[in-house]
Amino acid sequence: MKAWRKLLSGLLREAENNMNISVIGTGYVGLVQAVGLAYLGYKVTCLDIDPEKIEQLRRGQSPIYEPGLQGILEKVIREGKISFTLEKKEALANAKIIFVAVGTPSKDDGSAEMKFVQSVIKDIIAYAQSTALVVIKSTVALGTNEQIQQQFIDQKRKNIVVSNPEFLREGTAMEDFLRPDRVVIGSSSQEAARKIAHLYRALEAPVLVTDFASAELIKYASNSLLALEISYINSIAILAERVGADVTAISRGMRLDKRIGEKAFLHAGIGYGGSCFPKDVKALINIGQESKADLPLLRATDDINQQMSGYVLDKITKKLGKITGKKIALWGLSFKPNTDDIRESPALAIANKLIDKGAEVFAYDPIVKKIKGSESIRIAKSALAACQGADALVIATDWPEFATIALQDIAKSLSGRCILDGRNILDPNEVKRSDLDYLGIGRGIGNGYTVDILEG
Ligand code: UGA
């Protein structure tokens, strides 16, 4: 009897794993979702409209740099768990679950552009079975899930919509997929919500099931709070500098309060970037305006963030006297370490401001080797090559390797003395000992003593 039960559950698992899942859009969100689901054992078909990307993926090459992704991609391709197509019918006709993970860029008024999601819904209506579950992963405008559900009802289709916002961070996206803090599911159907929760059961994460609007807002409210923390600590950094305090000590002191927490986004720097925070804060401000619920905290968050590159420029200008004709080394181009993503990168904002003021910028990034549309930024072969003969060095992204480069070597390569540490990764006292001038973000340090945590 036991043997039969075991066999039966094995067969059921097998059938479930062979259930066709499709993921529409192979950007950061879609590709990690698809590869992650294939890694969990499901059979996944990915659809994209970009022939180059699909060709590259078929060859087993990830179009994006994301730690861990390439290895898992190769594994699931070898095991026949994932396939890539440009054919809508092929991806949609047999799918039992369809994940929608296409882009929702900012429109001029800050609201999220829904035309790509809408076009996928049209394709689902044209090609997919009426019983397929439609899971919205894209960060969509408020009310979108409800509206798509209504669209299906109007078309006399049985498709159930589930909102399943993503919380992956670039640079650790694969890890975040496999060890999520939580899974959020918004749906008006308990059965559909259960099915999606069941899909992720191997991840052993808490699952919150809620209505559509709450699921949509959890995503916006989470990203906006993290962005708000960054703008808050950047404001405290400016204050710290004026009064001779060190923001890194302030941040450490704050994080020791368990209600604030050691993972709080209180690392002061040149501001947040990427494809999410800038866009999502603006979108939530817009949602507030549309709903007549003003969100002044988020307007301030966005304003402070936009002011950070000007603040950095003022600092260098004060130090160098003028920018015209100066040669500036810039370390880091991606919006954060461990990614090749330069969307809304504060590093680029600073580089472009320096160039506008007449500087020559020599940049080095461990992964980003070319920048479309910003050709005036010269790319150096190594971190030290960028510094060769430069009047100042600006550290714009906190790639861990930047903190390991010997200060004496930097001092030898630069012709000037100034390091502007835009991510506060260096020890100011060590920099000064190497006969260099240190400019950080919010590091007044009046008496030169940095606080450490004493045991006991
Ligand atoms: C962010 C969220 O952290 C994810 O949870 C979310 O899923 C994702 O957006 C998304 O909506 O897709 P991500 O944009 O990859 O993830 O990067 P973060 O690690 O959050 O960093 C965002 C920016 O804030 C970076 O420019 C980073 O340098 C900056 N930052 C972060 C700070 O300046 N200080 C900090 O303390 C933390």
Side-chain angles (χ1 to χ4, degrees):
M1 193 64 180
K2 253 190 181 163
W4 272 107
R5 215 175 278 156
K6 208 169 158 196
L7 182 65
L8 194 63
S9 80
L11 285 172
L12 279 174
R13 200 173 325 119
E14 183 71 25
E16 193 185 64
N17 287 354
N18 283 327
M19 162 180 72
N20 291 314
I21 296 180
S22 287
V23 177
I24 319 302
T26 56
Y28 277 93
V29 175
L31 187 58
V32 173
Q33 176 75 12
V35 170
L37 287 172
Y39 184 69
L40 294 182
Y42 301 105
K43 203 159 170 261
V44 184
T45 306
C46 298
L47 174 72
D48 204 289
I49 51 168
D50 182 343
E52 228 174 276
K53 226 190 231 181
I54 290 296
E55 202 35 58
Q56 204 179 340
L57 283 163
R58 280 184 180 148
R59 288 198 308 267
Q61 270 170 20
S62 167
I64 51 169
Y65 174 79
E66 188 60 47
L69 178 61
Q70 179 63 36
I72 302 185
L73 172 69
E74 285 168 20
K75 179 179 182 313
V76 292
I77 290 178
R78 256 195 326 270
E79 290 168 355
K81 287 289 181 192
I82 200 163
S83 60
F84 303 95
T85 182
L86 290 163
E87 299 301 325
K88 293 171 182 170
K89 196 170 174 192
E90 185 188 331
L92 295 170
N94 296 315
K96 295 279 178 252
I97 302 180
I98 301 166
F99 283 90
V100 180
V102 291
T104 54
S106 271
K107 290 203 281 196
D108 286 345
D109 63 358
S111 63
E113 172 63 82
M114 284 298 114
K115 68 177 181 205
F116 304 112
V117 172
Q118 269 315 324
S119 133
V120 170
I121 300 306
K122 268 197 203 135
D123 294 338
I124 291 176
I125 291 173
Y127 298 107
Q129 293 171 16
S130 171
T131 48
L133 271 183
V134 177
V135 187
I136 309 295
K137 278 245 112 191
S138 307
T139 303
V140 289
L142 195 72
T144 302
N145 283 276
E146 180 91 55
Q147 184 211 320
I148 296 172
Q149 185 63 79
Q150 192 55 48
Q151 230 172 313
F152 288 139
I153 294 169
D154 293 347
Q155 296 279 331
K156 312 233 173 321
R157 293 178 65 93
K158 294 199 186 95
N159 301 97
I160 304 273
V161 177
V162 174
S163 160
N164 175 214
E166 60 87 18
F167 300 104
L168 310 174
R169 290 162 303 170
E170 287 182 26
T172 49
M174 219 51 247
E175 164 94 14
D176 289 344
F177 177 89
L178 294 168
R179 281 180 208 82
D181 286 349
R182 80 294 212 190
V183 171
V184 171
I185 294 175
S187 183
S188 46
S189 153
Q190 236 189 39
E191 196 194 329
R194 274 217 187 99
K195 254 191 199 157
I196 299 306
H198 192 67
L199 204 66
Y200 294 120
R201 68 194 178 285
L203 306 178
E204 294 176 356
V207 178
L208 179 85
V209 178
T210 181
D211 58 285
F212 283 141
S214 303
E216 288 166 353
L217 279 181
I218 287 170
K219 166 73 188 191
Y220 281 121
S222 301
N223 271 3
S224 297
L225 175 65
L226 294 167
L228 185 146
E229 285 182 3
I230 299 169
S231 282
Y232 176 71
I233 201 66
N234 285 342
S235 305
I236 296 292
I238 293 169
L239 170 70
E241 215 162 83
R242 303 250 157 90
V243 302
D246 178 4
V247 76
T248 63
I250 297 172
S251 160
R252 268 174 95 180
M254 289 172 71
R255 286 183 222 226
L256 287 171
D257 182 330
K258 291 198 177 70
R259 293 166 304 175
I260 296 174
E262 60 180 35
K263 289 188 179 162
F265 270 29
L266 293 177
H267 191 88
I270 57 175
Y272 59 76
S275 65
C276 304
F277 285 0
K279 160 175 95 75
D280 290 353
V281 169
K282 286 190 182 77
L284 192 48
I285 294 171
N286 182 272
I287 290 169
Q289 278 161 353
E290 299 274 298
S291 321
K292 310 246 172 318
D294 194 20
L295 297 166
L297 284 175
L298 295 186
R299 277 191 274 121
T301 298
D302 188 35
D303 287 348
I304 293 164
N305 197 54
Q306 294 199 36
Q307 284 157 18
M308 288 315 287
S309 55
Y311 160 80
V312 169
L313 192 77
D314 284 351
K315 253 177 185 275
I316 311 182
T317 313
K318 228 180 250 168
K319 189 77 197 168
L320 300 182
K322 64 178 172 68
I323 297 294
T324 319
K326 300 285 182 197
K327 182 178 168 187
I328 312 282
L330 184 92
W331 284 0
L333 288 165
S334 55
F335 81 97
K336 65 184 257 188
N338 293 316
T339 176
D340 59 353
D341 197 344
I342 53 168
R343 285 176 289 177
E344 300 274 338
S345 172
L348 290 189
I350 290 172
N352 289 329
K353 276 210 159 89
L354 286 166
I355 291 168
D356 285 350
K357 292 277 174 203
E360 256 193 307
V361 173
F362 286 79
Y364 170 75
D365 186 283
I367 300 286
V368 182
K369 299 297 175 199
K370 60 171 181 276
I371 322 158
K372 259 195 222 152
S374 291
E375 280 76 15
S376 39
I377 302 174
R378 318 266 284 270
I379 303 290
K381 284 215 166 70
S382 69
L384 286 175
C387 294
Q388 209 58 52
D391 296 286
L393 163 65
V394 176
I395 303 178
T397 312
D398 37 352
W399 282 94
E401 64 184 77
F402 293 159
T404 66
I405 298 172
L407 289 164
Q408 297 91 309
D409 293 341
I410 302 174
K412 260 188 243 151
S413 305
L414 289 176
S415 75
R417 295 295 83 193
C418 169
I419 296 190
L420 192 145
D421 179 6
R423 295 291 180 177
N424 290 346
I425 58 172
L426 302 179
D427 177 340
N429 294 325
E430 270 181 35
V431 174
K432 285 176 200 156
R433 277 197 291 277
S434 303
D435 195 26
L436 288 162
D437 296 336
Y438 182 86
L439 295 176
I441 306 292
R443 308 190 79 177
I445 326 176
N447 59 6
Y449 175 68
T450 32
V451 181
D452 229 327
I453 299 172
L454 305 177
E455 297 297 333

